[in-house]
Amino acid sequence: MDCSLLRSLINRYCAGEENWVDSRTIYIGHREPPSGTDAYIPQRYPDNRIVSSKYTFWNFVPKNLFEQFRRIANFYFLIIFLVQLIIDTPTSPVTSGLPLFFVITVTAVKQGYEDWLRHKADNAVNQCPVHIIQHGKVVRKQSRKLRVGDIVLVKEDETFPCDLIFLSSSREDGTCFVTTASLDGESSHKTYFAVQDTKAFHTEQEVDTINATIECEQPQSDLYKFVGRINIYQGQDEPIARPLGSENLLLRGATLKNTEHIFAVVIYTGMETKMALNYQSKSQKRSAVEKSMNTYLIVYLCILISKAVINTAMKYVWQSDPNRDEPFYNQKTDSERQRNTLLKVITDFLAFMVLFNYIIPVSMYVTVEMQKFLGSYFITWDDDMFDSELGEGAVVNTSDLNEELGQIEYVFTDKTGTLTENSMEFIECCVDGHVYVPDAICNGQILTGTVGMDMIDSSPGAGGQEREELFFRALCLCHTVQVKEEESVDGIKKGLQPCGKSSSVYISSSPDEVALVEGMKRLGFTYLRLKDNHMEILNRDDDIERFELMEVLTFDSVRRRMSVIVKSSTGEYYLFCKGADSSIFPRVIKGKVDQVRARVEHNAVEGLRTLCVAYKTLAQDEYESVCKQLNTAKLALNDRDKKLAEAFDVIERDLILLGATAVEDRLQDKAADTIESLHKAGMKVWVLTGDKMETAAATCYACRLFHRNTQILELTTKRTEEQSLHDALFDLSKTVLRHCGSLTRDTLSGLSHDVPDYGLIIDGATLSSVMKPTEEGSSGNYKEIFLEICRNCSAVLCCRMAPLQKAQIVKMIKTSKEHPITLAIGDGANDVSMILEAHVGIGIMGKEGRQAARNSDYAIPKFKHLKKMLLVHGHYYYIRISELVQYFFYKNVCFIFPQFLYQFFCGFSQQPLYDTAYLTLYNISFTSLPILLYSLIEQHVNMDILKRDPSLYRDIAKNSLLRWRIFIYWTLLGLFDAVVFFFGAYFLFDNTSFTSNGQMFGNWTFGTLVFTVMVFTVTLKLALDTQYWTWINHFVIWGSLLFYVVFSLLWGGIIWPFLNYQRMYYVFMQMLSSGPAWLGIILLITISLIPDLLKKVICRQLWPTSAERIQAKRQCLSVEPSTIFMLSQTSSNISF
Amino acid sequence: MASSYNAKEEDGQLSGAAGSGGVGAAKSKKPDNTAFKQQRLPAWQPILTAGTVLPAFFVIGLIFIPIGIGLLVTSNNIKEFEIDYTGSDPASECYNCSQTLTWNSTKPCICKVPFTLEQSFESDVFMYYGLSNFYQNHRRYVKSRDDSQLNGDKSSLTNPSKECEPYRTSDSKPIAPCGAIANSLFNDTLTLYYINPNGTESVVPLIKKGIAWWTDKNVKFRNPGGSNSNLTAVFQGTSKPVNWRKPVYELDTDPENNGFINEDFIVWMRTAALPTFRKLYRLIEKKNNMIPTLQRGNYTLEITYNYPVRRFDGRKRMILSTISWMGGKNPFLGIAYITVGSVCFFLGVVLLIVHHKYGNRNNSAEIPN
């Protein structure tokens, strides 16, 4: 609605722009309406070409380049490259141009290839044939030539070529079945309805005579929202207006099922279809590692600039003596002499910048990207996260956040479908306080605590019997379940055999409803089907009762109830309403509310999902007024949802309570084990659910979120009714803080047995009042106190939450002062907001469709897979990428600092120490592969141990491997190594010969010596860090050293004709022919490696991390008694 | 109930003709169970504990200390004699030459520096000249050369690289060899006289071949015109470097050592790494086993003093040195090896203590966990 408002605003201010109107009028079959209608403003619509590709052949190069250089790093390197081109710099432009070119080319090729694939896919889609009706005949056309207003014929199993309004179907009742699997992943068949007044047009000729216009909103991206109106002209009469809703709209990408063919009219084409509008990518999430990487980059940029400034200053101090600046042997050219001093200083500064620019390596970005991209494959490949029932494994939607999985501090989980199976089972129902259980379960089972328990056949009096049957009928009618007939099995057309109950399957988007309808079946009332707008019920006497379905007031999560209005065969109008107790009880005026409420609460404590059922009878005139209200609301083009909600609110009033139902939602496999592991790993688990408190609390106990010794703190409406929110909050914080003050010391020990841990339960209403900014400052900030309480609770349960509140909670925690890393996991559409809000969003491929999975960063089949995802993959990725980042900075300090030192010995003349080839290839090929491979396959601790011992996760909490201390250590190590390389070579070269034939070496040999030592040291340093040596590691580490040697031999072995200098000719070989050079290389490598080795050993010995303890243990005991593992296994079996 | 519901749903999908999400698709989606994809490749998992690193430290210590001693002994056995003949001190022999000389003076200035060798040099002796405070590694200097000209390329001979500026052309004729390095070729001539006990001087024969890298002399540096011995004709149309007294084709009379392949020139063209450097000047070969190459006694170094260093506070030295397998005298490597070896040994001991004292404590502390 915002969109249309904006558009109308735009429209008002840009009067000349006629195309911008907030609705569009479509003439079915391009037929002009009869005269007398509004002046026709032709609008221009795009053709039905889908363009998912980003580039065309012509704009690829400029557009791609522009996009690549928008990245700050690429831009930085471009600037360096340009500086090298413009001014006379020590290193040739090739040294930075080639890596940049490489990076840019690789990215461009990758993106170009992807785009080419997209072009191909687009072409295939755009050229596939569609059938349209022209002059009463079926004509084949290419899909891209479809225009708005065309009438299309779609056959079974064809995919809709664009967004269509459903006119008529081959089925009598004007319905069709559609799967939207490719749109939102829901594979269940959904029913769509043809426009009432056109569903009789069955042949091409008939359809072609339809004279109607459709007014509808301009396209918007919400798949489930659509408002429009169809005006049908018959003769000269006033047009008949009918509302159009999303049930009439067939979306591009969906497939027609179980329906021979349909006719439909095109309303949105090409890029305006809802599918295309949903292509828009989500906002980028950045990981904590990336943030610290950027901080380090800034540090290094400062180092770089200060180095350049120091050297520039030193240069001018040093050459203040003209004999130094321009000795007789080294004169300047005239143009150099005449240059402006300021210009000279700037040039020198830039030249130093260029000389040292490698300290911020281009290749780091490439390597990090590649690591993330390739690394994410291990998640999709993981066999443990494959669910054979679903036939799917984990899905990675973004690879940017792999390492963030190892940093999670708060887990926000949905309850239904996430912790629980979301496969419902009908347990019991309660009519006026009498409890009914389906016979299948009832037999041989004694239900304790049910006072007025009745068997099905012992009915409590005549009045009770009537109400009981009304209750069952209500449940049979008040739903949106479809019956899927097994019609194609062996040619028997939907045999409605009274006994063949099992031949039909109920399908619904909500498992609760299926469970209820199936439960009713076991209680004797079978819902057969919806035929010609009549719902057919088979009652206990095997009679078919028919109710005409008048209206469906569909379910939504705000109202938390749904209603149907039916007309019985005797002509009475009933409104049946079913919904959450909180939304039904306030609307009830009659009925045994107290008994039902008691039963509902009892069931809720048992962890069952309860629904209340109520009804009211409507008189004819009441019904008509209701109809009118609904119709006006439905016909409204703007704010239809709001108007509908208002209408619903008026209609669903003054109900008579019938009873309540209870449905069990079983816990997911290993949910308790997973939650326990997350707790042990130091994560705080919050359950956010829309369910009522008692049910949710029971589930929390069952999945061991709360233990028996957990002290539960309640912050619910019940409590705030007794005392003010202010007092309640302060009371709680006092309780929590008193205990925690003494316990903060031991929090790291992590064993929850002796620590009285707290669990908080809060409900949506209280939460919103907590979040509300207080008017007067005196009462203090509730939010802060609430956060303080939450911080000290190991588990928090938020019940009665609206979807948006879930996101608010996540946001509140995310922006609290510690800025913890949050993860949200959920399966349904109501979790999407929090999934998008949290640092990491995980979707479960659940039964309630795929919206959550589609919007998530990672999708997993089951909740239990979260354990491996975080404890194993997250841990590994974090370890890997942090080493990658630190190592990259380290190796470039090693690389550049000798250059800096050399300036002090070459008169600050920006003379590079290394040859151009070495400068260029150091980061690209000599040292790139080992670290990339390390960052892909390193495992410091075995996978099984990580899973078995979740407390290892605490090792890496709070970005511990990228702390300043560790960053400084790596930088100092790099500096030390650089000093060793440089001065080692310096003293070796010190005014003497070190060949056996007395000949001397020059500056290039000096640089090559430093470089060789460096390549070896840096690679061996990584070898020391590697704790998981597979054959690939051996191959890559030794291979890259060998490559360096072979390359150097080749590079120096030939007079390269394309080079204008031959400075490296035979330098490497001459160096290797000298014994002291070998000895020096070995010595310097040893010296550089010893401090790090020593630090590692001593730290491990004196202050071992828990991972290192585990490693030591593994060495000591080759066969480890898996007691912890067994314990966790048994504990998960004993459920609450 | 629940499971039957699922099964039916799957059946329903199967009956759909599209077959997406059917069993076939599900099977192909199942990840391969290879060791690599499951991250379960067999791997060696070394752990660097005090226990495992200890032997390494001791081994390094045990290997490095003997090597260091060997290197130090070798270095100490090398005989080296160095004499500074800059002449900045008024008392020194070359004072006059150094004061009057500018780079473009034409009259050679000769001075003689006497010295005494306390020990005889038994094996081959290498004669170096050394320069201090001379920035051969200055960037402007290093790049001021044209390698293709030096490699005998004809077009580069007549049209040298821009890098040679301002030593590229002189009198609008191209300079050969161009550039600052070539222009500043070291042109002092050193001659060594042995003063016999009877007072007569005898020239010590100095060999000027074999002082440059073989590859430089034979591959990297070539005269234009190939084997054409008439260098004068080849270098026709080029100009001599401004600081040179004579053109490049008159550097030596020996055609094998003339032009660009003159070894003194090649040695100079290999720019030194540091501002204080030495370059090989001449070889003094051992004649026979009976007589030492250089006997102990008095010598005179006769210098044709052409090379001005006074302006930039440079120093000029002459070094006589014997050479071992590890080159000239340099105690650094030996000392460093001994130091590192000892430090490693010491660290090994420290680690041993740490290992014994704290290793047990750690293990015992962790078992109750």
Side-chain angles (χ1 to χ4, degrees), chain A residues 88-90 157 187 257 318 323 325 328-333 336 378 380-384 386 389 391-392 423 484 505-506 514 518 666 847 873 876 880 902 905-907 909-911 939 943-944 984 986-988 991-1006 1024 1027-1030 1032 1055 1060-1063 1065-1067 1070 1076 1079-1080 1082-1083 1086-1087 1090 1093-1094 1096-1098 1100-1102 1104 1109 1111 1113-1115, chain B residues 1-2 5-6 8 10 12-13 16-18 26 29-33 36-50 53 57 60 64 67 71 103 126 128 133-135 137-143 147 165-167 180 184 210-213 215 219-220 243 270-280 307-308 311-312 317 323-330 332-333 336-337 340 344 347 351 354-355 358-359 362 366 369:
Chain A
D88 171 44
T89 54
D157 293 328
S187 56
K257 292 283 180 190
W318 184 80
N323 278 323
D325 185 25
F328 81 93
Y329 57 86
N330 193 8
Q331 304 276 313
K332 292 179 185 171
T333 57
E336 273 171 333
F378 284 116
T380 29
W381 283 335
D382 195 326
D383 207 29
D384 294 345
F386 181 80
E389 200 179 291
E392 277 183 88
S423 81
K484 185 174 168 56
V505 175
Y506 297 118
V514 174
E518 293 204 333
R666 281 184 303 158
K847 295 208 173 76
H873 288 291
Y876 281 162
R880 290 166 184 174
Y902 192 56
F905 297 90
C906 70
S909 60
Q910 300 124 18
Q911 170 64 22
Q939 301 179 15
M943 227 183 268
D944 304 321
Y986 176 83
F987 286 118
L988 211 57
N991 203 16
T992 180
S993 151
F994 59 103
T995 53
S996 52
N997 59 6
Q999 291 168 355
M1000 295 302 294
F1001 287 148
N1003 61 327
W1004 298 114
T1005 315
F1006 184 82
L1024 281 182
Q1027 296 180 5
Y1028 191 76
W1029 283 86
T1030 63
I1032 314 176
I1055 297 263
N1060 56 3
Y1061 56 84
Q1062 307 296 341
R1063 51 171 92 129
Y1065 185 65
Y1066 255 72
V1067 161
Q1070 287 282 352
L1079 288 172
I1082 292 170
L1083 176 82
T1086 316
I1087 298 178
I1090 280 178
L1093 191 66
L1094 203 66
K1096 271 201 180 69
V1097 169
I1098 288 184
R1100 175 184 287 276
Q1101 198 76 42
L1102 300 184
R1109 281 201 190 134
Q1111 289 171 348
K1113 219 192 238 175
R1114 189 189 66 209
Q1115 272 217 326
Chain B
M1 248 344 253
Y5 170 71
N6 284 328
K8 277 172 194 164
E10 207 147 77
Q13 281 181 356
K29 268 186 185 172
K30 187 173 167 61
D32 299 344
N33 198 8
F36 173 70
K37 289 187 175 179
Q38 299 307 321
Q39 306 195 63
R40 290 185 189 279
L41 279 179
W44 172 53
Q45 296 178 44
I47 299 173
L48 299 171
T49 59
V53 173
F57 274 103
I60 291 176
F64 274 29
I67 292 180
L71 285 170
W103 64 265
F126 295 76
Y128 296 91
N133 217 7
F134 190 101
Y135 284 83
N137 58 6
H138 195 280
R139 184 163 75 93
R140 207 184 323 128
Y141 187 81
V142 169
K143 67 176 184 176
D147 275 337
E165 290 288 0
Y167 304 101
S184 58
I211 55 173
W213 293 12
T215 47
V219 185
K220 194 173 163 184
N243 285 13
R270 183 156 293 281
T271 49
L274 299 167
T276 300
F277 60 89
R278 59 166 83 164
K279 283 182 183 290
L280 190 53
Y307 208 70
R311 293 287 296 279
F312 53 86
R317 289 161 296 143
I323 290 288
S324 71
W325 63 272
M326 58 155 288
K329 197 179 186 79
N330 190 357
F332 163 72
L333 209 51
Y337 259 94
V340 172
C344 277
L347 287 176
L351 280 183
V354 167
H355 186 52
Y358 298 97
N362 262 344
E366 131 202 354
N369 274 353

Side-chain angles (χ1 to χ4, degrees), chain B residues 33-208:
Chain B
N33 198 8
T34 59
F36 173 70
K37 289 187 175 179
Q38 299 307 321
Q39 306 195 63
R40 290 185 189 279
L41 279 179
W44 172 53
Q45 296 178 44
I47 299 173
L48 299 171
T49 59
T52 46
V53 173
L54 262 179
F57 274 103
F58 283 118
V59 167
I60 291 176
L62 287 179
I63 294 176
F64 274 29
I65 292 174
I67 292 180
I69 292 170
L71 285 170
L72 198 59
V73 168
T74 320
S75 173
N76 283 343
N77 282 340
I78 289 168
K79 298 195 177 67
E80 194 175 272
F81 178 82
E82 186 172 324
I83 185 166
D84 188 319
Y85 68 89
T86 320
S88 47
D89 181 10
S92 64
E93 289 78 0
C94 293
Y95 181 71
N96 282 336
C97 286
S98 72
Q99 292 303 306
T100 55
L101 187 82
T102 57
W103 64 265
N104 49 5
S105 57
T106 48
K107 206 177 75 196
C109 175
I110 291 174
C111 57
K112 289 187 174 183
V113 180
F115 63 93
T116 313
L117 288 182
E118 303 293 347
Q119 284 174 310
S120 61
F121 285 42
E122 301 288 342
S123 55
D124 286 353
V125 176
F126 295 76
M127 186 176 178
Y128 296 91
Y129 60 87
L131 291 172
S132 302
N133 217 7
F134 190 101
Y135 284 83
Q136 252 205 327
N137 58 6
H138 195 280
R139 184 163 75 93
R140 207 184 323 128
Y141 187 81
V142 169
K143 67 176 184 176
S144 183
R145 63 192 284 161
D146 185 347
D147 275 337
S148 49
Q149 188 191 50
L150 297 173
N151 195 231
D153 187 76
K154 278 271 176 61
S155 61
S156 300
L157 184 70
T158 50
N159 184 19
S161 159
K162 291 268 187 302
E163 302 286 358
C164 288
E165 290 288 0
Y167 304 101
R168 186 165 166 265
T169 52
S170 131
D171 306 333
S172 70
K173 274 199 284 185
I175 294 178
C178 76
I181 314 178
N183 185 56
S184 58
L185 176 67
F186 182 77
N187 57 359
D188 279 3
T189 314
L190 306 177
T191 329
L192 202 58
Y193 296 97
Y194 174 60
I195 300 171
N196 290 313
N198 56 14
T200 57
E201 283 185 345
S202 60
V203 181
V204 178
L206 301 175
I207 299 165
K208 53 185 173 186

Side-chain angles (χ1 to χ4, degrees), chain A residues 254-522:
Chain A
T255 312
L256 185 65
K257 292 283 180 190
N258 292 359
T259 312
E260 228 164 87
H261 64 260
I262 58 148
F263 292 103
V265 62
V266 177
I267 58 161
Y268 302 138
T269 47
M271 296 315 287
E272 290 186 346
T273 57
K274 286 182 183 271
M275 184 177 81
L277 290 173
N278 270 290
Y279 273 141
Q280 284 145 359
S281 55
K282 288 163 282 176
S283 66
Q284 278 259 312
K285 292 183 183 176
R286 302 218 158 266
S287 74
V289 168
E290 211 168 324
K291 279 175 205 149
S292 27
M293 198 167 103
N294 286 336
T295 324
Y296 296 162
L297 271 181
I298 291 168
V299 171
Y300 271 86
L301 195 66
C302 294
I303 294 179
L304 171 65
I305 291 171
S306 54
K307 269 183 181 178
V309 167
I310 290 171
N311 266 340
T312 316
M314 294 292 285
K315 181 182 168 114
Y316 283 90
V317 170
W318 184 80
Q319 68 185 24
S320 55
D321 176 358
N323 278 323
R324 280 197 181 144
D325 185 25
E326 209 179 345
F328 81 93
Y329 57 86
N330 193 8
Q331 304 276 313
K332 292 179 185 171
T333 57
D334 288 340
S335 62
E336 273 171 333
R337 277 191 207 117
Q338 281 153 12
R339 203 174 286 163
N340 182 317
T341 323
L342 184 69
L343 201 65
K344 264 198 255 182
V345 172
I346 292 170
T347 316
D348 277 321
F349 172 75
L350 287 177
F352 278 118
M353 285 282 282
V354 167
L355 187 65
F356 303 141
N357 86 82
Y358 303 92
I359 203 164
I360 298 173
V362 198
S363 56
M364 184 164 76
Y365 287 91
V366 191
T367 316
V368 167
E369 291 272 304
M370 273 166 72
Q371 191 267 347
K372 287 182 170 180
F373 175 70
L374 296 176
S376 62
Y377 275 100
F378 284 116
I379 293 180
T380 29
W381 283 335
D382 195 326
D383 207 29
D384 294 345
M385 295 207 282
F386 181 80
D387 189 68
S388 49
E389 200 179 291
L390 274 172
E392 277 183 88
V395 175
V396 179
N397 292 331
T398 168
S399 56
D400 287 343
L401 299 169
N402 291 343
E403 68 277 1
E404 200 84 334
L405 292 172
Q407 291 295 304
I408 307 297
E409 290 164 74
Y410 281 84
V411 174
F412 297 94
T413 163
D414 177 38
K415 188 178 77 75
T416 313
T418 309
L419 289 177
T420 59
E421 284 273 10
N422 204 13
S423 81
M424 306 293 171
E425 198 164 336
F426 180 75
I427 299 295
E428 60 159 55
C429 58
C430 155
V431 184
D432 288 349
H434 304 291
V435 177
Y436 295 81
V437 263
D439 45 356
I441 293 173
C442 171
N443 285 339
Q445 194 176 339
I446 301 152
L447 291 181
T448 50
T450 49
V451 188
M453 185 209 152
D454 287 278
M455 302 309 283
I456 308 136
D457 42 4
S458 63
S459 36
Q465 168 94 38
E466 194 189 299
R467 290 179 65 82
E468 172 204 316
E469 295 204 342
L470 189 61
F471 175 80
F472 292 154
R473 286 195 188 100
L475 282 178
C476 278
L477 297 171
C478 182
H479 57 72
T480 53
V481 169
Q482 296 155 34
V483 182
K484 185 174 168 56
E485 298 111 351
E486 308 286 282
E487 47 186 326
S488 59
V489 179
D490 44 9
I492 305 166
K493 274 275 176 187
K494 31 188 161 179
L496 249 186
Q497 311 94 323
C499 53
K501 286 173 188 171
S502 59
S503 71
S504 52
V505 175
Y506 297 118
I507 294 172
S508 167
S509 52
S510 152
D512 291 73
E513 291 197 325
V514 174
L516 284 176
V517 175
E518 293 204 333
M520 285 306 109
K521 193 157 128 186
R522 284 188 284 159

Side-chain angles (χ1 to χ4, degrees), chain A residues 85 121 158 293 296 373 385 727 772 779 847 864 877:
Chain A
L85 279 184
E158 279 183 353
M293 198 167 103
Y296 296 162
F373 175 70
M385 295 207 282
D727 296 339
K772 224 184 299 169
S779 56
K847 295 208 173 76
K864 63 176 176 187
Y877 285 123

Side-chain angles (χ1 to χ4, degrees), chain A residues 34-38:
Chain A
S35 55
T37 48
D38 298 345

Side-chain angles (χ1 to χ4, degrees), chain A residues 125 128-133 138-141 143 146 151-162 164 176-183 250-264, chain B residues 16-20:
Chain A
V125 169
C128 81
V130 292
H131 301 280
I132 72 161
I133 311 293
V138 179
V139 184
R140 272 167 73 102
K141 243 188 178 182
S143 166
L146 274 184
I151 298 175
V152 193
L153 167 74
V154 183
K155 294 181 181 154
E156 186 167 358
D157 293 328
E158 279 183 353
T159 303
F160 300 121
C162 52
L164 306 163
C176 72
F177 295 103
V178 163
T179 66
T180 50
S182 57
L183 274 175
L250 304 171
L251 298 178
R252 177 174 194 148
T255 312
L256 185 65
K257 292 283 180 190
N258 292 359
T259 312
E260 228 164 87
H261 64 260
I262 58 148
F263 292 103
Chain B
S20 65

